[in-house]
């Protein structure tokens, strides 16, 4: 490991990679638990977990062994044939959730694409109703593909990519009256919502909001889709974000933490809603994925679920999240002119600033703490579910030092 090697790699990246990202000058070499080390040998406390992906942290032995064992056995066959690990993973997800059936893909965007296709086809083919409208929320984030960026309620992600997929009707998040008006025409095939808006700024809805959406969708015959790509698989201290409100959707999308770092996505649905993607004799396959649900990814996901259960990581995430949330609230009280609010649930947390968060995130990184920006003004924490009190205390101490620095510079 060397500083020169890192510089050489960054120079090479500038010549061979598309310039769509704006990374800091760091090349990560290895990880262990909640720590990352770059090519130059510097250690970082990772409170982003690959954007809420690495649920078990880095190099977890159970996940590493499952991947290695499956790689030695069978990596890929395609969905031309049944896949044992895929079948067993679907059974696992059905057991811990509301869902009866699961379709596997490779990412959150693909899972949301599947949900949109399911909703359209459910109404057109199963119900015989040509419902096309998708109702989404302002501030939402559902992916980078054409369809998912089209239903993402942040204009900055849609800019430059028109004409987009439609029709889409946006409503304010956490506003049942607005949702009722949007669903009243009974022309919507689906309403899609995140149980917590993550990329939009860690917005937790009011108690009763998700239950209210459930009632509205039942009344208007609309499929309710919960995008649990970031909130699912233990992130909020329960398996899924919807559990906090005691309601279930018709369709749920998953990705990120499901594979612990191995790419996998899932679209899970009730038996009734799943008919939207059901094959009909004499017709074409309605939806498919070459890599989706391959043996390697599914073996990894099964190891993630098994470890979360065996190690009691749901309760651990809830307790650790309470500690982190309390610490962020203390910082809000300590810096009233700089910090606005502490937000979140479980280990999806944020501290909202009265200014852009990018500078604070960069200063934290310079001090060895990795956090990220959400919604422009929010410093987001989404550490591995294995994070402990010492890691949280270290992270809060670094953030306090940065806030001191920023406050002094004002």
């Amino acid at each position: 490991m060397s500083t020169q090697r890192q510089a050489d790699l960054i120079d090479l990246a500038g010549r061979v990679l598309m310039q769509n990202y704006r990374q800091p000058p760091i090349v990560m070499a290895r990880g262990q638990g909640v720590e990352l080390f770059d090519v130059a040998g510097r250690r970082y406390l990772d409170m982003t977990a690959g954007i809420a992906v690495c649920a078990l942290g880095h190099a977890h032995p159970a996940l590493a062994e499952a991947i290695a064992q499956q790689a030695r056995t069978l990596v890929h066959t395609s969905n031309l044939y049944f896949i044992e690990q895929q079948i067993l993973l679907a059974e696992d997800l059905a057991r811990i959730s509301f869902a009866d059936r699961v379709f596997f893909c490779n990412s959150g965007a693909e899972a949301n694409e599947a949900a949109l296709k399911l909703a359209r086809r459910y109404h057109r083919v199963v119900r015989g109703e040509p419902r096309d409208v998708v109702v989404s929320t302002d501030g939402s984030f559902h992916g980078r593909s054409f369809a998912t960026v089209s239903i993402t309620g942040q204009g900055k992600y849609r800019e430059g990519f028109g004409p987009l997929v439609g029709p889409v009707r946006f409503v304010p998040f956490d506003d049942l009256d607005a949702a009722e008006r949007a669903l009243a025409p009974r022309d919507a095939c689906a309403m899609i919502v995140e149980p917590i808006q993550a990329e939009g700024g860690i917005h937790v809805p009011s108690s009763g909001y998700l239950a209210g959406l459930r009632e509205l969708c039942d009344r208007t015959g609309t499929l309710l889709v919960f995008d649990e790509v970031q909130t699912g698989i233990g992130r909020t201290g329960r398996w899924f974000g919807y559990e906090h409100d005691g309601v279930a959707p018709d369709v749920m999308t998953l990705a990120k933490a499901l594979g612990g770092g191995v790419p996998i996505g899932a679209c899970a649905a009730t038996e009734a809603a799943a008919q939207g993607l059901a094959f009909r004799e004499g017709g074409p396959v309605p939806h498919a994925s070459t890599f989706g649900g391959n043996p390697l990814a599914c073996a990894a996901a099964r190891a993630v679920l098994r470890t979360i259960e065996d190690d009691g990581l749901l309760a651990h995430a809830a307790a650790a999240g309470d500690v982190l949330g309390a610490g962020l609230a203390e910082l809000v009280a300590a810096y009233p002119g700089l910090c606005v609010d502490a937000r979140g649930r479980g280990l999806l947390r944020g501290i909202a600033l009265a200014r852009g968060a990018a500078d604070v995130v960069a200063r934290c990184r310079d001090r060895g703490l990795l956090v990220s920006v959400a919604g422009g003004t929010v410093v987001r924490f989404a550490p591995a579910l294995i994070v402990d009190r010492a890691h949280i205390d270290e992270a809060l101490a670094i953030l306090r030092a940065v806030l001191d620095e920023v406050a002094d510079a004002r």
Side-chain angles (χ1 to χ4, degrees), residues 48-63:
T48 66
I51 316 180
V53 167
C54 303
L56 304 183
H58 303 288
H60 192 285
L63 180 57

Side-chain angles (χ1 to χ4, degrees), residues 107-131:
S107 68
E110 287 186 35
N112 283 329
E113 286 272 351
L116 296 177
K117 290 181 71 176
L118 179 154
R120 281 271 186 94
R121 191 169 181 270
Y122 172 80
H123 285 285
R124 286 181 170 269
V125 175
V126 179
R127 296 284 297 273
E129 301 173 338
R131 292 188 175 207

Side-chain angles (χ1 to χ4, degrees), residues 23-60:
Q23 301 102 321
I26 301 169
V27 180
M28 294 302 179
R30 64 182 181 88
Q32 185 66 52
V34 297
E35 297 178 322
L36 282 169
F37 299 85
D38 67 18
V39 171
R42 186 180 181 190
R43 176 256 192 193
Y44 298 86
L45 175 60
D46 183 11
M47 298 296 278
T48 66
I51 316 180
V53 167
C54 303
L56 304 183
H58 303 288
H60 192 285

Side-chain angles (χ1 to χ4, degrees), residues 5 9 33 38 65 71 156 165 199 208 257 277 283 296 323 327 337 381 409:
R5 174 62 175 164
L9 285 169
D38 67 18
E65 176 56 30
K156 64 183 180 181
V165 176
E199 297 296 330
L277 288 185
L296 185 71
V323 172
F381 289 74

Side-chain angles (χ1 to χ4, degrees), residues 26 28 32 40 54 83 137 180 210 236 266 286 317 324 329 340-341 348 363 374 378 410:
I26 301 169
M28 294 302 179
Q32 185 66 52
C54 303
I83 299 168
T137 58
E180 183 173 23
L210 298 184
T236 66
L324 177 57
V340 175
D341 188 23
L348 180 58
R363 290 171 185 258
V378 177
R410 295 176 68 189

Side-chain angles (χ1 to χ4, degrees), residues 86 89-105 107-108 110-116 118-119 191-192 214 223-229 232-233 240 242 248-255 258 264-277 287 305:
Q86 182 184 120
L89 176 58
E91 181 185 41
D92 290 340
L93 289 174
R95 175 177 55 81
I96 63 175
S97 78
F98 72 95
D100 298 305
R101 297 188 181 275
V102 186
F103 166 80
F104 291 106
C105 49
S107 68
E110 287 186 35
N112 283 329
E113 286 272 351
L116 296 177
L118 179 154
M191 176 161 189
I192 185 168
R214 175 72 278 171
L223 290 182
L224 179 59
V225 181
F226 285 164
D227 179 341
E228 295 255 16
V229 169
I233 314 299
F240 309 105
Y242 71 77
D250 301 294
V251 182
M252 170 178 69
T253 57
L254 300 168
L258 179 58
I264 187 172
C267 177
T270 63
E271 181 68 35
Q275 297 311 302
L277 288 185
H287 194 50
L305 300 184

